[in-house]
Amino acid sequence: MQKKSIYVAYTGGTIGMQRSSQGYIPVSGHLQTQLANMPEFHRAEMPDFTIHEYQPLIDSSDMTPQDWQIIAEDIRQNYHRYDGFVILHGTDTMAFTASALSFMLENLAKPVIVTGSQIPLEELRSDGQQNLLNALFVAANFPINEVSLFFNNTLYRGNRTTKAHADGFNAFASPNLAPLLEAGIHIRRLNTPPAPHGEGELIVHPITPQPVGVVTIYPGISADVVSNFLLQPVKALILRSYGVGNAPQNPAFLKELKEASSRGIVVINLTQCMSGKVNMGGYATGNALALAGVISGYDLTVEATLTKLHFLLSQGLSSDRVRQLMQVNLRGELTPDEK
């Protein structure tokens, strides 16, 4: 049986960093040197893999929509030459990149796994060895043809993830969807509902930077706060509300939201809670938002909401069409209401 071949896009991140007097720094070629000295990556059971190091290496705090585009184009250019793709990435914005790629890559018929580490590969107790080894092995032998994120022995749907722990090995959580796969003593796929899947050739959609605001509701928030956000040339506003989607019934606050919606600004309601789903019909305070033109974000993460807005706003669609598609499950990113 021919060995599978996996393309590794090394964008940067802690996994390939080297210790210096200023702390950990990215060093070109350092990751490859570490891997060459780790025989487990070159065992017969492992797939062949090719590492493409980005120049310059990107600290994930500096990741931008232009970088998402570069990664997506990299996958497009190599799509027919490899059996799967592993994206090495810093953890800080990993969930944003995994979410963005899920929307950009339509009709994906090969696995794309985003991973990295909390401790550099060169260190004795690095989690990078386990994360990368498993990501390569899973991509070759247990492929799930969507954009996923592998961390701490768990494969998650990429657009359902959020960074939950700053310094633990269990850095990521998928609060509203069970993982896709667990790599314990045995690697086992879980019966997680599949993402919607199209047929045909891979389509790589463009994403361009979009002016999107994020406002967190807090006790005593004034209408001026929202008003100031909406003075900028924003096309969309993410409102992080209480509980199942509740916000103050302050008339001035609701008036700002209603006027924004009437101007074509897409206002989307997300819960501040770690898990759960927006239901604006549950309470009068949520219903008041719906009447002001605010749409439900269901159980989307902030990362998926922001990147999905970027994706849709980059397509030149009308604001009504963007509103409609924000509430449609395009890539398994949200759980729609049962009819």
Side-chain angles (χ1 to χ4, degrees):
M1 211 169 98
Q2 191 176 3
K3 264 196 168 194
K4 294 282 183 75
S5 186
I6 307 298
Y7 182 84
V8 180
Y10 171 33
T11 71
T14 298
I15 192 166
M17 287 189 177
Q18 187 172 10
R19 189 189 287 271
S20 79
S21 55
Q22 293 88 44
Y24 290 120
I25 56 170
V27 174
S28 178
H30 186 61
L31 175 94
Q32 296 89 316
T33 302
Q34 298 304 308
L35 291 177
N37 294 323
M38 293 179 170
E40 58 273 28
F41 281 90
H42 311 287
R43 286 175 56 141
E45 308 97 301
M46 287 295 287
D48 291 329
F49 60 92
T50 301
I51 297 177
H52 171 221
E53 179 185 295
Y54 283 29
Q55 297 289 344
L57 291 167
I58 309 163
D59 185 297
S60 79
S61 303
D62 294 323
M63 195 63 64
T64 66
Q66 287 96 328
D67 296 312
W68 300 335
Q69 195 70 48
I70 289 167
I71 297 168
E73 289 296 337
D74 195 9
I75 292 169
R76 186 218 298 266
Q77 287 170 14
N78 291 283
Y79 190 69
H80 296 293
R81 296 171 55 202
Y82 294 89
D83 300 299
F85 300 85
V86 170
I87 315 296
L88 290 180
H89 196 287
T91 57
D92 284 348
T93 57
M94 188 183 286
F96 286 95
T97 296
S99 296
L101 290 174
S102 78
F103 298 118
M104 298 172 82
L105 303 173
E106 189 174 354
N107 300 337
L108 190 60
K110 295 180 180 183
V112 174
I113 302 177
V114 188
T115 193
S117 70
Q118 295 281 61
I119 300 177
L121 201 58
E122 70 170 18
E123 296 293 347
L124 177 66
R125 294 181 53 254
S126 174
D127 54 328
Q129 183 176 350
Q130 174 182 283
N131 287 344
L132 179 52
L133 190 83
N134 275 300
L136 289 166
F137 191 81
V138 165
N141 299 296
F142 297 85
I144 296 176
N145 298 336
E146 55 179 277
V147 179
S148 56
L149 187 155
F150 188 92
F151 226 85
N152 196 37
N153 293 317
T154 309
L155 187 75
Y156 304 99
R157 178 165 298 151
N159 57 33
R160 291 290 194 141
T161 58
T162 189
K163 190 173 182 185
H165 297 284
D167 54 9
F169 286 149
N170 57 336
F172 290 89
S174 174
N176 292 313
L177 188 77
L180 303 176
L181 174 149
E182 287 177 351
I185 293 173
H186 302 287
I187 294 177
R188 60 190 190 98
R189 287 184 183 167
L190 306 176
N191 293 320
T192 309
H197 204 272
E199 298 298 323
E201 285 293 302
L202 175 72
I203 301 167
V204 177
H205 293 280
I207 277 190
T208 52
Q210 299 293 330
V212 177
V214 183
V215 172
T216 299
I217 302 296
Y218 53 85
I221 188 171
S222 74
D224 292 341
V225 171
V226 177
S227 162
N228 289 336
F229 259 95
L230 297 170
L231 286 175
Q232 303 160 34
V234 295
K235 292 183 182 176
L237 183 70
I238 299 169
L239 206 60
R240 301 189 65 229
S241 61
Y242 304 132
V244 292
N246 301 316
Q249 286 191 288
N250 175 337
F253 171 78
L254 293 170
K255 179 171 176 278
E256 289 291 346
L257 296 177
K258 188 163 190 172
E259 288 178 356
S261 296
S262 65
R263 294 200 306 271
I265 295 172
V266 179
V267 185
I268 185 162
N269 188 4
L270 286 192
T271 175
Q272 294 176 29
C273 299
M274 182 67 178
S275 64
K277 186 174 183 179
V278 166
N279 171 19
M280 291 195 289
Y283 294 86
T285 47
N287 193 48
L289 291 177
L291 292 172
V294 178
I295 61 169
S296 173
Y298 294 92
D299 55 356
L300 287 164
T301 62
V302 171
E303 294 90 339
T305 309
L306 188 98
T307 54
K308 187 174 181 179
L309 282 167
H310 271 76
F311 161 65
L312 293 173
L313 291 168
S314 299
Q315 311 304 315
L317 306 169
S318 69
S319 61
D320 282 344
R321 183 65 176 147
V322 172
R323 280 192 188 94
Q324 181 192 6
L325 290 174
M326 281 304 296
Q327 298 174 89
V328 174
N329 184 30
L330 299 180
R331 308 278 194 271
E333 72 279 6
L334 61 80
T335 310
D337 289 333
E338 292 179 3
K339 296 284 189 267

